Amino acid sequence: MIKNTLILALAISVAACQDEPEATKSAQMPAKANTVEDAKTKPVPSAFNPAGNYVSGEYHKRDQGYDWMAVQVSQSGPEQINVSIRSRIDRKRPTCTYTDTAQRLSDTRYKAETQGTAILFDFNEQGIEINTEQPEAEGMLNFFCSGGGSIKGGYSKLSEPLDNSQLDQSIFNKTMVLQGIGFNVTSFKGEGENRLTIAPFGLSISNEAVSHGINGRVVGAEIEDLNSDGSPELLVFTQSDGSGSYGEVIGYSVNNKKSMSQIYFQPVTEQPKISAGYMGHDEFAIVETSLVQRFPVYGESDTNAGQTKKMRQVQYKLVDGEATRRFVIDKVVELDLPQ
C-alpha cells in the first residue's frame, strides 16, 4: 500500500542519498512536499503551531442537546501532527470517529492519506478547515460518520479547556481492512498506563481481541502485506509521554488468514548499529513493503528539545524467525537537515 505518491521528496533533496541504488530510494519516509517543485524548496521550521482543540459550532449549544464534534490536534514529530476527531456520546452512540497522522505540507497545511484519499487540514489563527484534496473524493469524509454525517467543514479553535464530559473518551480509534481481514484498533486512558486493544475480524480460526498496556499513546496504525504472503500485517505506532517521545511498534502478522501472532520489534536502544545519538522523537510509516523509522540524531552536548543537524532513517524488512516473525534492519541512511 503506497500511502503517499511522492514519498521520495525528502530523500531526493538530500545529497547523502544521491548515490544510493533505486531500491533504497523507494523506501523513503513520506515527506511534506506534495509536488516535484515543492521538493526542490528547502523546508523551513514552522512558525505556526497547529496544536490545540477545535470544535464545531454546535459545541456552544451542547447544554441544549445539540450534537457536536471536537478536533484534537497534537504535534507528534518535526513534520507531522496527530489528528483525533470525536463526537458527542452521552446521549447516543458516537456520530463521527477519526484518528490519523498528517504530514506537514506548509506552515498551515497538513495532509493525511486514508484508503487512497488525501485529506487536507488547513489551519489559521481562528480555526481549521477539513476537506479532501480532490473535490470529487469528499464523500470519503462521510466514511467516518454514521447517519449521513461528515467530518468536512470548519471548526473554531478554543482558547479555554475543552469540555470533554460529553465526548467519546477513546484516545485512538481506527478500523482497517486488507485482503478480507480487518482490525479495529482502540485505545483508552487508564490508571497509570493507557490501554490498547486490537480486535481482528475475518480470520477463519480465531478473532479473539488482544490488549496491551502502553507507556504513552497511540499515534498511528497501518495495515499492509509486508511479506507478500497473501495475508496482512497490522502495525500500531506508540509514543511515550514526556520530552523524549520515544517510539515503539506493536505489530501482528496474520497466518494464512486463520489467526494472528505478534511481531517482534527490537527497541533502538538495544541496537548498537543505530542507537548512537538517539533521544526519541521517532516517526514511523509503512512504505511499499518496508517499515521505515526516522528520528533526529543528537550530539553529546545537544539537549533533547533542541534542533539537530541530522536525521537517521532506518528501513526494516519483516522476516520469519525461529519462534515469531520479526523486523530486521535492511538499510540505514543519514539525512542532513537544512539549518
Side-chain angles (χ1 to χ4, degrees):
M1 175 175 61
I2 304 175
K3 294 187 64 178
N4 295 303
T5 58
L6 289 165
I7 55 179
L8 304 179
L10 176 59
I12 292 175
S13 66
V14 179
C17 302
Q18 289 178 345
D19 296 330
E20 292 185 311
E22 291 301 317
T24 302
K25 293 182 180 180
S26 68
Q28 300 299 328
M29 285 279 281
K32 62 183 175 299
N34 68 332
T35 69
V36 174
E37 287 302 313
D38 289 339
K40 297 177 183 178
T41 304
K42 288 185 177 181
V44 295
S46 175
F48 178 81
N49 183 5
N53 296 313
Y54 304 79
V55 294
S56 60
E58 296 81 8
Y59 173 79
H60 303 290
K61 300 178 182 179
R62 61 192 183 280
D63 292 337
Q64 301 173 38
Y66 282 77
D67 195 12
W68 58 278
M69 290 190 291
V71 183
Q72 297 170 283
V73 179
S74 59
Q75 200 86 36
S76 62
E79 297 294 318
Q80 66 182 24
I81 57 173
N82 295 321
V83 181
S84 174
I85 301 177
R86 297 291 184 270
S87 60
R88 184 171 188 163
I89 197 176
D90 62 322
R91 296 195 172 200
K92 56 182 180 180
R93 296 184 63 183
T95 308
C96 297
T97 303
Y98 172 88
T99 309
D100 212 341
T101 299
Q103 302 292 324
R104 177 176 175 263
L105 300 179
S106 69
D107 280 1
T108 57
R109 171 169 280 195
Y110 288 75
K111 180 171 76 171
E113 293 274 353
T114 299
Q115 297 185 11
T117 299
I119 301 176
L120 298 179
F121 302 90
D122 288 300
F123 295 88
N124 56 51
E125 295 293 344
Q126 288 73 44
I128 178 178
E129 185 79 22
I130 301 176
N131 212 329
T132 53
E133 190 171 47
Q134 301 298 327
E136 62 271 19
E138 70 175 40
M140 171 57 72
L141 302 181
N142 298 83
F143 175 79
F144 310 102
C145 302
S146 61
S150 175
I151 63 172
K152 172 183 167 66
Y155 301 79
S156 58
K157 189 170 187 178
L158 282 180
S159 56
E160 70 273 12
L162 174 68
D163 175 10
N164 61 8
S165 60
Q166 301 174 344
L167 207 59
D168 176 4
Q169 296 301 306
S170 62
I171 54 179
F172 187 91
N173 191 319
K174 189 174 184 179
T175 300
M176 294 154 288
V177 180
L178 182 67
Q179 299 169 323
I181 307 299
F183 299 91
N184 180 239
V185 181
T186 56
S187 178
F188 286 86
K189 188 176 291 294
E191 293 293 333
E193 65 178 8
N194 295 331
R195 204 75 197 164
L196 164 69
T197 300
I198 299 171
F201 54 92
L203 300 176
S204 62
I205 293 181
S206 175
N207 287 288
E208 183 178 354
V210 295
S211 186
H212 295 262
I214 56 175
N215 175 25
R217 56 199 170 90
V218 176
V219 295
E222 298 189 40
I223 187 172
E224 181 56 273
D225 185 357
L226 296 176
N227 55 1
S228 303
D229 66 349
S231 296
E233 279 71 42
L234 170 76
L235 302 185
V236 180
F237 310 131
T238 70
Q239 198 172 73
S240 67
D241 296 327
S243 60
S245 300
Y246 291 92
E248 183 182 352
V249 177
I250 298 173
Y252 280 87
S253 183
V254 172
N255 308 306
N256 197 27
K257 297 188 176 181
K258 296 179 179 179
S259 61
M260 67 179 191
S261 54
Q262 190 168 359
I263 302 169
Y264 178 64
F265 177 79
Q266 188 174 19
V268 172
T269 53
E270 298 177 9
Q271 302 192 68
K273 183 177 180 180
I274 60 173
S275 61
Y278 173 71
M279 296 176 67
H281 305 290
D282 310 76
E283 297 176 7
F284 296 96
I286 292 177
V287 182
E288 301 288 354
T289 57
S290 296
L291 167 64
V292 179
Q293 174 187 27
R294 69 180 181 188
F295 49 84
V297 180
Y298 291 85
E300 292 184 1
S301 60
D302 293 337
T303 62
N304 190 284
Q307 294 290 324
T308 66
K309 297 180 180 180
K310 286 185 177 295
M311 183 80 73
R312 181 170 299 140
Q313 183 163 293
V314 186
Q315 178 180 332
Y316 300 88
K317 285 294 185 184
L318 181 66
V319 301
D320 290 335
E322 293 183 4
T324 184
R325 290 176 179 139
R326 59 192 178 92
F327 284 111
V328 297
I329 295 175
D330 184 31
K331 296 180 178 68
V332 181
V333 179
E334 297 283 334
L335 307 174
D336 291 320
L337 296 178
Q339 301 301 307

